Each structure stands twice: as structure tokens, then as C-alpha cells.
Amino acid sequence: MTYRLSLIAAAVLAALSSPAFAAQATEAGEPAFANPLVRQRADPHVTLHSDGYYYFTATVPEYDRIELRRARTLGELGTAQAQTAWRKHASGPMSYHIWAPELHHINGKWYIYFTAGRADAHWEIRLYVLENSAANPLEGEWVERGQLKTGWESFALDATTFALGSKRYLAWTQRGTGEGYKGTNIYLAEMDTPLSIKGPATMLSRPEYAWEKVKYDVNEAPSALVRNGRVFLTYSASATDANYAMGLLTAPAGANLLDAASWRKSAEPVFRSANGQYGPGHNSFTTTPDGKADVLVYHARDYRDIQGDPLRDPNRHTRAQVLLWRADGTPDFGVPVADKGKVAAKPLFRDPVEDGAADPVVIWNPARGKWWMYYTNRRAKSAGLPNIAWVHGTRIGIAESDDAGATWTYAGLADIELPKEWGGADATHWAPEIVRGDDGTYHMYLTVVPGVFTDWKHPRHMVHLTSSDMRSWRKAEMIKLASESIIDACVARLPGGGWRMWYNNEADKKSIYYADSADLVHWTDRGRTVSDQAGEGPKVFQWKGSWWMITDVWRGLAVYRSDDAVKWVRQADNLLQGAGQGADDQVQGGHADVVVSDGRAYLFYFTHPGRRGTDAKLDGPEQRRSSIQVVELQEYAGVLRVERDQPTNILLKPVK
């Protein structure tokens, strides 16, 4: 057999095609990838070069440039520096719809095959080539080599190339020559140079099955894999929404590939939407670094419903999974693997200015396309602040995540405007809660202390503000609730309509009270709801068929459960009461937020890492500083648990 078998296929053949051994092999030693590998990058192409680097390129959402990046592992591609290799022209050819770049190393040079249209004729799509003679394609000069001519002029895209023996082939997508035909077909031709083909092209496939003709008649994005004495050519079909799926063409490696009769077409898609991955397709192939396992790289969205044109939705993300092989040597694509998310950083976040991040609340920012975390920013680094002055004079910090919650970067302060009688610019800002109203307006419920103080004997009010951009907060109004000493609002939508707020009434032994509203502005206080234990920072959420409340009781987090969000039953033990083992996590956890996303629940909390050991009772910057952490909640028989010392794979899905 002249073609390298994958690790799994080799194991299967060595066991004389034993089904039992095949199942064992597919479960053993498969690499797992923290999908998505690269966010908002469609039509991915990955090359594992002889220098040991993976080189990556893909369509960017702006459709205006070609990017390259490289990394030692597939998992590192998402954080690798993206370098612009080429930008679109201002007009004429190559000035619009820059799509589907592929990077290939041929005869000692690098080539990028890509698709481009015209600013004055968007759909005059053609194939073009760039060339670079540098050893590293991120260096050197990319030279335009013009249009790659296919033999006739029509809508053409998605070129790829592969070698078999002494011959090199070009496969691509193009609209046929038949009059009135609007669909796209897969074509193949032999290449005489990396810039040109020779001889006539052969049509290998056109849309003929129903699954290839959903909304549009499409066969596109061919990708070749030569294995086990055969040539496997995948392609994608139908509209670029959740209906997008992958088909497969197969030919014997020794056959005349330019004879359409040499190819067999699968009647059903080999890879389609499943496990929360919608519209998987436009793939490429690579291998693990040791070359022992084949890897399928593709794009998909993590939601089904799209508003507007799917081509304008940027959230086709690059993903990867191991390609399995059957005993007969044919590929088993299986189904898209559900995203588990990346392992969250530990600590998750430290404020770079004051180092006092606490009381987190996490919410999706649709304008930014990122998750935002608002937090109380205690003044841990500020010197000369007596007693508890360092927890006053605080502002609300903002951090953001563009990798579904795994890592966070500082994004500045919330622009909050308060009247002078409530402290104005000198007021203390604590524990924000933020929800989005039905009209798209954002509502903040902020604990405000009218100044900076060295004791706790001062009023604390609940203030309501609104924002359209989630940065600037205006129209401050004080909410009249049970007393003049209330903190830590939490707001949740009620199933029957309206909203409910829970808060800490410090005037009643720090009991948890609640209030109701029909419009998020006017509130009616309903009185006490939890009083068995003093606590603060209530967080209420629905999950696993129940209402849950988590409060900070200064010995970890108390947990309550309810069927009606009024009567609560407390769980026997607290969460995060003891010490963890991770960085900045070797103390109890406090004041948490919970985000429920795609059926999973994540607990965001803060710690004072320096408050342990012999120095626990000191009052210096190390004891004052705080860090944000995250852990996934687990529910067993009506009880919440966490495993804070295990890696937390987090995947916060965009909120529509």
C-alpha cells in the first residue's frame, strides 16, 4: 500500500478488521481540540509544513484581506498573531468579496489561491493567485500573479490543489456554461504550473440531490485527501446557513481522475449539522504533528437562526476534529463534535489598575460581539487609605472576552453619571447588576454610597441607570425599597411576565428581600424572602427545572432552591467554603454571578488570595487585592456542586 494509513486505520487493519478492536481504537488516543479553534474565521485552510508549524488562513468577516498565522499546535492558532499578507484593491479586479484563501507550498515557493470580485460588480467572482519565495510565508513579499484561468469566464471560486504521483491537480467551483443555469459545480483539471492548468476541465459533480439544493443549487469548496489507495474529494452544498453540509466524491488513486466516470458520489451528506454545530462545511485536511492521525478542519456556527443574509453573519468559527477511518479504508466523518470550550484561565481576571476586582456580573455585548464583565473595582493598590476607605471611592470596571469566557482583558471603566446629592464624582459604586429590557435598553442597578468613608455607618442606596451602548450610563433614579441601607441587587425575568429583584436589606440583619416590577423602572417591595442566615450578593437563576439562589455568607456561598422563586429551601453545605489549589484560589470564594448558557451553568466568583496562612489578618495590598475565578456548576439530585480544582472548560454562547 503506497499511501500512509492513519493511526486508526492502521490499527484496524493490523487486527484483521476486527469490529471490537476498531471501536477500541477509535476511543483510544484521539486528540481533542478546544473548539472553536479560531473565532469568526470561515473557509479555513491549514497546512502542516516541514518546519513543524501549522500555517492557517481563512476568510475574514470583512471580506477585505488575506491573513496568515502560524503555531506549533492547532490549539494555539486562535491566539497566534494574525498577519495581513495582502489587502483588496480599491477598484477593479480583486476589490471585493475576498474569499476562501488557501496556502500551498509548491516547488519551494508559497502560493495563495483565493477568490475575489469587483467593487463595481460584486458577483464577478474569479480565481487569483499570490506567490512568495520566502521560506516563511509570514515574511517576504507576496506578488500578485493574476487570474487563474479555467478555460471559460463565469462565476468561479474556492480553488484547491493537490499532488498525486508526478501530477498536480486543481479542483475548484464554477458556474457551468449551460444557458440559464445558476448552480455551481465542482471541476478538476491538471496543472502545468502552479499558476495555470492544461487541457480541458472535467466536471466531477453538480447539485442533483435535494440536500444539495436547499435555497440554492450549490456544490463548492472542494478539498482533497489521498489515503488508502483512493482520492477523497469533499465538497459543500446548499445555502451557507444551517443547511450547509458536506458531500464526498471518491476515485481510485490509479484511475484517470479526469474521467468523470472514475468518481463515485455519495448520495447523502457525510457531515451535517448536529450537536449544536450548524452548517458545518468548507473544510480542509491536516494531521496531528506526528502525522499519525488525520484532522478535519471546518467552519460552523453555534446557533441555527440567523438574522439577515448568512454571508453577513460573522460567526462561522473554525473547528477541528479527528477524522476516523473504517475497516474498509473509507473515511468516517461522524458528526460535528459538540464544543466543550477552552480551559478558563486561573485566575480568570485581575484588574490591572487597582487589582481589586470583585462582585462580577457577566453579560453578552452584541455590539462588540463579546462577553462583558462588570465588577466592583476596590482600591487595593492605593496607598495611605485607612480602615475601609479602600473599599469606598470605587468605580465599576469592565473586562471583555472574545473567546467565550476563557480569558478576559481590561476594557476600562463604566461611564456612570450620578447627581451631586448622591455623591456625584466622589460616590462609591458597588455591585452592579445589568439586564437587557425587551426594547433593547440596558438597565443597571447599582449600589451607591454617597462618598468615601472609614466605617460602615452610612446610607447605601439602590440606583437605577440606563444605557444604549453598555458603556455610558445615565438617567440615574433612586429606587425606594425596604430601607436606607440596601445593597447587591439581582434581577431576573419571571416566566409569567414582569421582573423580580432580590437584594440585601442590611437594616434587617442582612436578610434577603425581594421586589417586583412590570417595566424594570418602577418597583414594589414584597418584603423578606430569606432570613435563616445573614448574607449578601444574592444571585438568582433558573436551571435544571428549578429556581436557585446563591448568597455570600462569608464562609463560602450558601445555596437555596425554590419552585416558585418565593419560598426557598437551603442546601446543607456551602460552595467554595474551603480552599482550592489553583492560582489565587486557595481561599474561600465570595459574591458570585451565574451565567446559564446552552444548558450549562458557570459560577463567577472572587477571592482574596492573600488572606491565608500567617498573614491572613494583615491589612496590606496583598490582603486587599482580589481576583475573579470561574467554575462550572454541577447538579446532582437537587444539590449544586463544584470541582474548583479541575480545569473548567467554558463556552459562553452569544445571546440572540
Side-chain angles (χ1 to χ4, degrees):
M1 186 175 290
T2 58
Y3 301 101
R4 181 190 58 80
L5 295 176
S6 73
L7 176 65
I8 294 167
V12 172
L13 292 176
L16 299 178
S17 304
S18 163
F21 188 86
Q24 184 181 26
T26 59
E27 294 171 2
E30 293 179 21
F33 302 100
N35 286 326
L37 291 184
V38 188
R39 300 184 66 82
Q40 295 192 336
R41 291 297 181 269
D43 314 330
H45 187 263
V46 176
T47 297
L48 177 58
H49 192 46
S50 58
D51 61 3
Y53 280 97
Y54 287 98
Y55 290 89
F56 172 85
T57 187
T59 302
V60 302
E62 297 82 6
Y63 300 156
D64 65 350
R65 65 192 185 277
I66 296 174
E67 288 183 347
L68 297 176
R69 62 181 81 187
R70 72 174 188 170
R72 288 293 187 183
T73 70
L74 287 168
E76 294 172 339
L77 286 173
T79 56
Q81 180 66 40
Q83 180 173 310
T84 299
W86 179 87
R87 287 190 178 275
K88 70 177 183 179
H89 292 189
S91 60
M94 298 183 286
S95 60
Y96 204 81
H97 280 159
I98 309 304
W99 288 346
E102 288 201 4
L103 177 69
H104 294 269
H105 193 257
I106 305 172
N107 299 334
K109 293 184 179 181
W110 291 97
Y111 295 88
I112 294 177
Y113 300 89
F114 69 102
T115 301
R118 304 172 57 97
D120 59 342
H122 295 177
W123 301 105
E124 285 297 309
I125 302 290
R126 299 293 187 270
L127 305 177
Y128 297 90
V129 188
L130 305 174
E131 181 183 86
N132 188 336
S133 59
N136 177 356
L138 277 70
E139 300 173 350
E141 179 185 2
W142 283 99
V143 180
E144 295 178 4
R145 292 305 189 194
Q147 183 180 344
L148 200 167
K149 297 287 188 175
T150 62
W152 72 100
E153 293 295 320
S154 67
F155 181 91
L157 69 161
D158 298 348
T160 191
T161 181
F162 66 97
L164 182 61
S166 61
K167 296 181 179 180
R168 175 166 292 277
Y169 295 90
L170 183 80
W172 74 97
T173 304
Q174 191 162 357
R175 186 166 294 149
T177 57
E179 184 176 353
Y181 178 65
K182 299 298 184 181
T184 55
N185 311 324
I186 304 296
Y187 291 90
L188 186 73
E190 187 178 345
M191 304 186 79
D192 53 358
T193 76
L195 306 176
S196 59
I197 63 173
K198 65 178 182 179
T202 299
M203 186 180 74
L204 301 186
S205 177
R206 66 182 297 171
E208 54 185 308
Y209 299 114
W211 63 270
E212 299 175 293
K213 304 168 72 173
V214 181
K215 297 184 180 180
Y216 304 102
D217 292 3
V218 171
N219 278 186
E220 65 182 16
S223 184
L225 182 63
V226 181
R227 293 287 183 270
N228 307 337
R230 276 162 281 193
V231 180
F232 301 101
L233 194 71
T234 56
Y235 65 93
S236 299
S238 289
T240 57
D241 53 18
N243 295 292
Y244 209 52
M246 281 169 46
L248 181 65
L249 302 168
T250 305
N256 177 8
L257 299 187
L258 297 180
D259 181 356
S262 299
W263 295 85
R264 180 178 58 82
K265 180 176 181 177
S266 298
E268 296 292 333
V270 294
F271 203 57
R272 67 196 315 171
S273 297
N275 288 329
Q277 308 302 315
Y278 297 100
H282 202 128
N283 72 289
S284 61
F285 297 101
T286 187
T287 69
T288 52
D290 59 10
K292 292 182 178 180
D294 292 300
V295 179
L296 172 70
V297 182
Y298 64 98
H299 74 232
R301 293 183 179 87
D302 54 14
Y303 50 86
R304 176 187 297 275
D305 299 326
I306 301 170
Q307 296 181 358
D309 184 353
L311 288 177
R312 297 302 170 188
D313 182 292
N315 293 314
R316 291 183 290 177
H317 305 315
T318 295
R319 294 175 164 83
Q321 63 190 64
V322 169
L323 178 64
L324 305 182
W325 293 89
R326 301 184 182 92
D328 64 359
T330 60
D332 182 359
F333 291 87
V335 296
V337 175
D339 288 352
K340 293 183 178 180
K342 295 182 178 179
V343 174
K346 190 171 265 307
L348 187 67
F349 178 74
R350 288 177 64 178
D351 177 83
V353 180
E354 294 288 356
D355 208 10
D359 313 333
V361 60
V362 176
I363 185 171
W364 173 248
N365 185 327
R368 293 279 295 166
K370 300 180 181 183
W371 284 88
W372 270 24
M373 178 195 299
Y374 296 81
Y375 57 92
T376 305
N377 198 10
R378 296 170 173 177
R379 297 186 292 164
K381 284 185 176 179
S382 297
L385 297 178
N387 298 325
I388 59 170
W390 65 281
V391 300
H392 290 78
T394 54
R395 292 295 177 264
I396 301 304
I398 302 173
E400 68 179 9
S401 174
D402 61 3
D403 60 3
T407 60
W408 297 78
T409 57
Y410 181 66
L413 298 176
D415 176 16
I416 296 172
E417 186 177 274
L418 298 174
K420 291 183 178 180
E421 58 267 28
W422 300 347
D426 297 324
T428 292
H429 302 173
W430 285 345
E433 165 71 320
I434 298 172
V435 298
R436 184 179 187 272
D438 293 332
D439 63 353
T441 300
Y442 291 89
H443 299 256
M444 176 185 286
Y445 302 90
L446 181 69
T447 301
V448 174
V449 184
V452 177
F453 305 101
T454 57
D455 59 47
W456 303 110
K457 300 177 182 179
H458 299 275
R460 289 182 274 279
H461 301 290
M462 191 63 61
V463 173
H464 171 247
L465 303 104
T466 57
S467 175
S468 60
D469 63 4
M470 300 180 70
R471 174 73 74 172
S472 299
W473 298 88
R474 298 293 185 266
K475 298 182 180 179
E477 295 184 11
M478 192 175 296
I479 301 174
K480 296 296 183 181
L481 295 170
S483 76
E484 295 295 310
S485 186
I486 57 175
I487 63 173
D488 301 348
C490 168
V491 175
R493 186 191 298 272
L494 296 174
W499 304 80
R500 181 159 292 166
M501 175 193 294
W502 292 264
Y503 64 92
N504 175 351
N505 182 6
E506 295 189 309
D508 185 12
K509 301 178 182 179
K510 297 186 76 68
S511 297
I512 305 301
Y513 276 51
Y514 73 109
D516 288 338
S517 174
D519 58 7
L520 291 169
V521 177
H522 305 92
W523 293 87
T524 300
D525 198 79
R526 302 297 189 192
R528 184 190 307 124
T529 188
V530 169
S531 59
D532 67 306
Q533 161 76 59
E536 62 186 21
K539 176 62 187 181
V540 177
F541 59 100
Q542 286 184 286
W543 188 51
K544 301 286 187 178
S546 295
W547 287 91
W548 303 90
M549 179 190 294
I550 293 177
T551 65
D552 186 348
V553 293
W554 313 286
R555 294 186 303 280
L557 305 174
V559 179
Y560 301 83
R561 185 179 180 184
S562 175
D563 294 327
D564 60 6
V566 176
K567 298 177 181 179
W568 299 89
V569 177
R570 185 173 176 181
Q571 182 173 302
D573 56 341
N574 296 340
L575 303 178
L576 306 176
Q577 182 169 354
Q581 300 299 316
D584 277 9
D585 203 27
Q586 299 173 35
V587 292
Q588 68 186 23
H591 196 125
D593 187 29
V594 175
V595 177
V596 177
S597 181
D598 199 31
R600 299 166 68 185
Y602 305 93
L603 181 77
F604 294 82
Y605 61 98
F606 82 92
T607 63
H608 281 294
R611 295 185 180 180
R612 61 190 179 93
T614 57
D615 296 335
K617 294 186 178 181
L618 297 179
D619 187 22
E622 181 62 20
Q623 288 73 37
R624 291 179 174 183
R625 78 174 182 91
S626 51
S627 298
I628 306 296
Q629 307 277 6
V630 68
V631 66
E632 186 168 358
L633 286 171
Q634 305 293 337
E635 185 264 343
Y636 302 100
V639 176
L640 295 190
R641 294 282 185 264
V642 295
E643 297 289 343
R644 69 195 298 190
D645 292 331
Q646 297 298 316
T648 296
N649 289 89
I650 186 169
L651 185 66
L652 300 179
K653 297 292 186 71
V655 177
K656 291 296 182 180

